[in-house]
Amino acid sequence: MDESSEAIHNTGIAGLTGRGAAMPAAVFDNEHIGGLVEHPLPPQPVGERARVLIYSHDTFGLGHLRRSRAIANALAAGSTGVSVVIISGSPVIGNFEFGSGVDHVRVPGVVKLRNGDYRSLNLNIGIEETTHLRAAIIAQTAQSFRPDLVIIDKEPTGFRGEILPALNILKRNGARLVLGIRDVMDEPAALKPEWERKGGLEALSTFYDEIWVYGLEQVYEPLSCLPLSDEVKQRILYTGYLRRGLPREASITSYPRITRGPFVLVTTGGGGDGEDLIDWTISAYESPACPDIPALIVFGPFINRDQRRGFMTRIAKHPKLAAISFDSKLELLMNRASAVVAMGGYNTFCEVLSLDKPTLIVPRTTPRLEQYIRAAEAERLGLIRMLVQGSGSAETMAHAIRDLMQQKRPSEVVVPGLLDGLDVIGRRFNAWLAERPEPAVTHQAAE
């Protein structure tokens, strides 16, 4: 790792905010951060109410992007004159539709290797240089767009510390900074050292005005294992889960024939780590205990192509199985399904609750226990049923799929505030707008 790259990755919060150690030139020198020359911007247009910037690092899967998109669309639709920009590294962000007032900036993608390291997704440059390029784009976007509200998804310092330069710019410009985290981050034994290593605790106290937890305190407290000060604890707001609606039009013109009647939808989200669930499901239908109800498997855009080819060969031989590669408007397909089998990421969990589907969750347990913890808590409440990978045979899965037809729907379990997330966020956003001095912030370059 070269000296400038090491500065972004390893420099403490004190050094990056000018407290204590000197600010590293590799992070703040104009030459390295894209030459952040401040040019006067045009006056704020009549009718503009606020600008929102959402950062979603998206090194893997679709979860961060879909969560950010749901929040962005809700904020833009809930208040006239709101513009939202999502910064994302997802290679498939262009496949999704955004509401009026929402747009995105794509930074170069990265991918996590099996050994835990990262590499550039498409560029033939090292991960250190890729991180520098992403940091420069993020910082320049923060400087040029001049948002009033900033929501950072999950990572308080970003991927390898890439948003620290931008956070300093945003704080200096008076933006309100919010860290938004899902209901479950990871098991305490893994989360605490990870946040300490990345400077997450320092970032919370230094930068963030609020912490939004997209879940309920009575379900799980994701930050309870961290030594937070009382002041930081006061900034935490539990919103409830993010309710999902239905898109107006399907992205796929023709669904497989089995969707014309009752069927089970099998989804692995992005698909990058869903091979085991797909294999177990196919094996269930190949077994003597084959379920009566057909199943439609959605591979996801990140599944290994060779694996997908092998699965398609097996699926083509079975009359009760069908598959599609990817559907950016999966909610419509899920709404048609009789039940759902899924891995249990945050967004899928929100969707099955919103669409009220009997659901079997088969959570991954590596490299994080996030999905397992969420599924265990949801099963405790009676919202879903859980089956752990490797805990049974093909017949075990077949019986679990068959039992879905008699399983309770989530709506039959009363959990107050369960799906109030977007409403709570909208009310908090509007209250904050009302508290601001009038007129609204004029987006001019700082002196």
Side-chain angles (χ1 to χ4, degrees):
M1 182 182 293
D2 62 34
E3 181 180 349
S4 61
S5 301
E6 189 173 5
I8 282 187
H9 187 45
N10 295 327
T11 302
I13 298 296
L16 287 168
T17 59
R19 301 180 182 180
M23 293 183 290
V27 174
F28 285 96
D29 182 77
N30 283 347
E31 180 182 351
H32 287 87
I33 277 300
L36 295 180
V37 179
E38 297 187 359
H39 298 289
L41 298 178
Q44 178 178 338
V46 175
E48 180 178 359
R49 194 175 184 199
R51 298 181 183 186
V52 181
L53 182 66
I54 299 179
Y55 164 85
S56 176
H57 67 288
D58 290 301
T59 59
F60 185 75
L62 296 173
H64 305 289
L65 169 60
R66 296 177 69 195
R67 181 164 58 245
S68 297
R69 174 177 170 263
I71 294 170
N73 286 340
L75 291 179
S79 298
T80 302
V82 174
S83 295
V84 187
V85 170
I86 300 174
I87 297 177
S88 172
S90 173
V92 297
I93 189 170
N95 292 2
F96 290 86
E97 291 183 4
F98 297 92
S100 177
V102 182
D103 211 331
H104 66 272
V105 172
R106 165 84 195 284
V107 295
V110 296
V111 62
K112 191 172 185 178
L113 306 176
R114 292 188 179 275
N115 64 2
D117 293 335
Y118 288 87
R119 66 170 175 81
S120 176
L121 179 62
N122 293 315
L123 299 177
N124 294 317
I125 60 177
I127 189 61
E128 293 84 6
E129 190 174 356
T130 301
T131 304
H132 269 287
L133 179 57
R134 286 168 57 106
I137 295 171
I138 294 166
Q140 186 64 68
T141 302
Q143 179 67 16
S144 299
F145 185 53
R146 291 191 169 272
D148 305 296
L149 173 67
V150 180
I151 303 173
I152 304 298
D153 186 71
K154 182 182 177 288
E155 296 286 348
T157 60
F159 173 67
R160 297 170 70 94
E162 68 183 0
I163 63 168
L164 290 171
L167 288 177
N168 277 278
I169 294 170
L170 294 162
K171 197 74 172 179
R172 186 183 72 221
N173 289 348
R176 189 162 189 84
L177 302 179
V178 173
L179 177 68
I181 61 175
R182 62 192 180 219
D183 59 336
V184 183
M185 301 286 281
D186 201 353
E187 60 177 323
L191 182 64
K192 186 176 180 180
E194 178 184 345
W195 273 49
E196 290 174 348
R197 174 173 54 85
K198 294 181 177 180
L201 292 175
E202 293 176 86
L204 281 186
S205 60
T206 301
F207 294 112
Y208 292 99
D209 301 294
E210 297 183 26
I211 304 159
W212 294 348
V213 179
Y214 306 132
L216 293 178
E217 189 172 7
Q218 61 265 42
V219 177
Y220 196 76
E221 299 178 52
L223 302 181
S224 61
C225 65
L226 301 178
L228 303 179
S229 67
D230 290 339
E231 181 184 1
V232 171
K233 289 179 181 177
Q234 292 299 316
R235 304 176 196 172
I236 298 175
L237 171 67
Y238 286 86
T239 67
Y241 291 90
L242 306 179
R243 184 185 299 275
R244 305 303 165 87
L246 293 175
R248 286 175 295 183
E249 298 177 358
S251 57
I252 298 177
T253 57
S254 178
Y255 291 121
R257 182 176 299 178
I258 66 169
T259 63
R260 297 174 185 174
F263 71 98
V264 172
L265 177 68
V266 182
T267 173
T268 63
D273 55 359
E275 292 94 341
D276 290 340
L277 173 57
I278 294 172
D279 177 68
W280 202 1
T281 301
I282 296 173
S283 296
Y285 280 85
E286 293 171 336
S287 74
C290 175
D292 294 329
I293 187 168
L296 174 65
I297 297 172
V298 182
F299 290 124
F302 303 122
I303 190 172
N304 178 277
R305 291 183 180 182
D306 292 335
Q307 287 274 14
R308 182 177 62 186
R309 191 177 298 112
F311 288 146
M312 284 303 301
T313 299
R314 295 166 63 188
I315 290 169
K317 296 177 181 178
H318 203 288
K320 291 185 178 179
L321 291 175
I324 60 175
S325 294
F326 174 55
D327 186 356
S328 63
K329 297 181 179 180
L330 189 66
E331 299 93 337
L332 285 172
L333 193 53
M334 186 178 291
N335 191 49
R336 297 175 62 159
S338 303
V340 175
V341 177
M343 289 181 62
Y346 179 85
N347 291 283
T348 300
F349 183 61
C350 289
E351 287 161 358
V352 298
L353 294 181
S354 301
L355 300 177
D356 201 26
K357 297 299 175 179
T359 302
L360 173 67
I361 289 183
V362 186
R364 68 166 181 240
T365 54
T366 58
R368 296 181 182 274
L369 284 177
E370 168 228 337
Q371 292 188 1
Y372 176 84
I373 294 171
R374 178 180 299 110
E377 294 300 321
E379 185 176 50
R380 174 181 63 82
L381 292 171
L383 295 169
I384 56 92
R385 287 194 59 196
M386 179 176 69
L387 192 60
V388 179
Q389 283 282 1
S391 63
S393 63
E395 286 77 11
T396 303
M397 173 61 82
H399 291 307
I401 293 173
R402 186 181 298 120
D403 291 343
L404 279 170
M405 298 304 101
Q406 286 75 47
Q407 186 173 311
K408 288 184 178 180
R409 294 178 178 271
S411 62
E412 298 180 61
V413 180
V414 178
V415 181
L418 183 65
L419 285 168
D420 286 354
L422 292 178
D423 294 334
V424 170
I425 289 172
R427 289 195 296 267
R428 183 70 195 97
F429 179 59
N430 287 323
W432 172 71
L433 288 180
E435 293 168 2
R436 292 190 313 168
E438 294 294 341
V441 174
T442 298
H443 300 97
Q444 297 279 4
E447 295 294 334

